[in-house]
Every structure is written in structure tokens, then in C-alpha cells.
Amino acid sequence: MSASRRLIAVVLLVPTLAAVALWAFAWPAARTAPRDLPLGVAGPPAATAGMEKELARHEGAFEIHRYRDEAAARDAVEDRTVYGAVVVTARGPELLTASAAGPMVAQLLTQAVAGQAAAEGTPVRTVDVVPAPSTDPRGAALGASVLPLALAGIAAGATVTLLGLRGVRAVLALVGSAALVGLVAAALADSWLGVLGGDWWAEASVFGLSTLAVAAAVAGCAALIGPAGIGAVAFLVMFLGNPFSGAASAPRMLPEPAGTIGQWLPPGAGTTLLRSVSFFDGAAATGPALTLAWWAALGLGAVLLGAQLKAHRSPAGPAAEQRKPALAAA
């Protein structure tokens, strides 16, 4: 490629990347709002009809789940079936929230439900069923963990590729580095900062699996298509996975299809899984855990497949190595 063409490529590429980055990060942030957000309503049908009618005015905002009483609604919140619930009791309406599932969501529910009822002269008592830790009441630390884990995974996969590690050695390096990242991250987030409240080893496993999912994808893609695979996966994780993760709010608060796509990618699945094991005793952890496991398994499989393909394509295979002494003697 001539110098002039390289110049034109750079001039066009940089603004394009900037535009994509601004779109990926600014669009979800500017369009944050509830979209079919699961919300429970508990109590006798005759008593909850008015509340459901009020919630229906927020067209497309809430997905109503009905429960017979407060106990069932609490169970649904703790199981992560709903983000909150409105309970109609003899003492008056009560709002159940779970700020650990997303402080922004809890605040929104308080404004939408309690604020509306208070304006009508019916104060609502708010109960935080699963509160966020006092050391991180806004969930800022959990949201800030997405980018470092993504960078750690990209760095691990790129390092393994650039050092020329292949096959089983590459797999061991990826798994070992991800495991150490998980231990270090749990030590910082749980033991030092105290922003997580679940089982320490479960949290370390989530951190490690999240890192391995990205690292294996980077190394696996590079093993199949070359160094360009590093950039392809890094772009996918950084420009889609990170802003679409819903870490700062919740997946149902993002415009579609950003919320859905984010949960298919390691950053979003890792954030959801970390919330589940840290604050909800592993409730609703199966889906994100399987997503991360599939990314890790497919990536490691691609690493092994790439090594086999390269060995078959290489002219200096084992047979060629055995011929070298004979050629030297001749």
C-alpha cells in the first residue's frame, strides 16, 4: 500500500472508530429507561386493580407479575424473578426493592411507584429486601469492575498469542492467568474494599471465568485467523460488551437490542453472574454462567484446533525434523 493510501486510511479510520465508540457508549446512556422491567404486584385482585392501572400508564415500562401475598413477592425479589414488587396491605401499599440488583432500578421504582402514590395522598412504605452494601450503595465499584476484567482478558489472550504459545501450553497459560486474576480481584473487591457480600471463592470463580471467557476468545480467534483476531475480539468486547453490559443500571434499562446483546457477551454475563453470587445466593446464575462457560470452552477449543491446523500446514513437521540429520550427512 502506498504512503498516500495509508494516510487516507488513517484519516478515515480514526473518525470512524470515534463515531462507533460514541454511539456504543453514549446511545445506551442517553436512552436509559425501563423496558418491560419485571415488577411484581401482590394482594387481592380487587385491591391491586387500581395499582396495576396506574402502572399500565407507563406504557411498555413494566412487565407485571402477580403474587398472592407479600411473602411470595419477597421470594420473587430474592430469586431475581422481579426487580421489585408493590404489595397492597391493610396498612397501605408497600414497595419492595432490591438495590443490590441495581441501585438505579431501585431509585426508579421508588420514584414511579412511591412518588405517584404520595402525590395522590397515599404514602408508600419502601423496603429494600436485598440492599446494596453500605460500602458501595450506588453500585459504582461493581460497575467499574467490568472494564478491568475485560482488559485483563484481552491482555492475557494477546500475550499468549504474541509469545507464540500454542496448544496445551496456551490453554494452561490462559487458565492459570485467569485463575490468578480471579483471586486478585476477589481479594481487592471483597476482602479489601468490602463491596461484595457473597461467598469469597464463588466471587473469585466468577472473576476468573469472566476473564477466561475473554482471554480464550482472543487467543482462539487469533489461533484461527492470525493476529487480526486479537483486534476483532477486543473490538467486540470493548465497544459492545462493555457499554451494553448494563453494569451501571440493568439490562432491562438499556434500549433494545443492546440489553440482549450485552447479556450474550462476557462483560454483561459476568456482571449479572457476579450480582447473583454476591447478593442473591446464586439465584438466576445458571444463564450467565453457561454463557461464560460457552465462551471459554469455544475459545480454548479454537486454541487447540488452531495449533493442530498450523502443525498440519507447517512444512517443518516431525517428518521433516527426522530428515534433517540425513540431509546434513549427505
Side-chain angles (χ1 to χ4, degrees):
M1 182 183 292
S2 65
S4 58
R5 290 185 177 181
R6 289 197 296 269
L7 176 61
I8 294 174
V10 171
V11 170
L12 294 178
L13 180 62
V14 173
T16 300
L17 290 176
V20 172
L22 286 172
W23 166 79
F25 284 86
W27 173 55
R31 297 291 184 268
T32 299
R35 293 170 175 83
D36 292 327
L37 190 76
L39 178 65
V41 174
T48 60
M51 183 60 68
E52 291 187 31
K53 184 177 180 180
E54 290 296 327
L55 294 174
R57 293 182 179 180
H58 303 274
E59 187 175 353
F62 301 111
E63 177 186 279
I64 302 300
H65 295 241
R66 296 173 179 82
Y67 301 98
R68 64 181 182 277
D69 53 26
E70 181 179 352
R74 280 179 175 267
D75 290 341
V77 174
E78 293 172 351
D79 292 340
R80 302 202 72 183
T81 303
V82 295
Y83 282 90
V86 182
V87 183
V88 179
T89 68
R91 304 181 305 273
E94 181 179 81
L95 174 63
L96 306 180
T97 63
S99 58
M104 181 183 291
V105 178
Q107 182 181 9
L108 179 143
L109 291 178
T110 302
Q111 294 173 349
V113 178
Q116 177 67 28
E120 297 175 356
T122 310
V124 177
R125 188 169 70 96
T126 302
V127 179
D128 199 345
V129 178
V130 188
S134 58
T135 51
D136 187 28
R138 297 182 180 179
L142 188 145
S145 67
V146 175
L147 180 59
L149 289 178
L151 290 175
I154 293 171
T159 301
V160 165
T161 300
L162 297 177
L163 289 179
L165 297 178
R166 301 192 189 99
V168 176
R169 289 184 177 180
V171 170
L172 292 176
L174 292 169
V175 173
S177 60
L180 289 177
V181 169
L183 295 175
V184 171
L188 292 174
D190 190 318
S191 303
W192 179 43
L193 297 176
V195 297
L196 301 178
D199 180 77
W200 195 93
W201 289 103
E203 294 164 357
S205 299
V206 174
F207 282 127
L209 184 57
S210 299
T211 304
L212 180 61
V214 176
V218 171
C221 194
L224 294 179
I225 68 174
I230 299 175
V233 177
F235 179 88
L236 182 66
V237 170
M238 295 302 297
F239 286 87
L240 293 182
N242 189 31
F244 291 1
S245 66
S249 54
R252 292 294 186 94
M253 296 286 287
L254 301 180
E256 288 297 339
T260 301
I261 293 174
Q263 295 305 298
W264 294 343
L265 299 174
T271 301
T272 300
L273 182 58
L274 185 60
R275 278 197 171 114
S276 291
V277 302
S278 297
F279 308 116
F280 295 88
D281 294 327
T286 303
L290 288 176
T291 299
L292 293 176
W294 273 111
W295 274 89
L298 291 175
L300 295 177
V303 169
L304 296 175
L305 177 61
Q308 291 294 324
L309 294 176
K310 192 160 188 176
H312 285 300
R313 290 196 301 262
S314 176
E321 292 295 331
Q322 293 176 0
R323 290 196 298 270
K324 282 184 179 179
L327 293 173

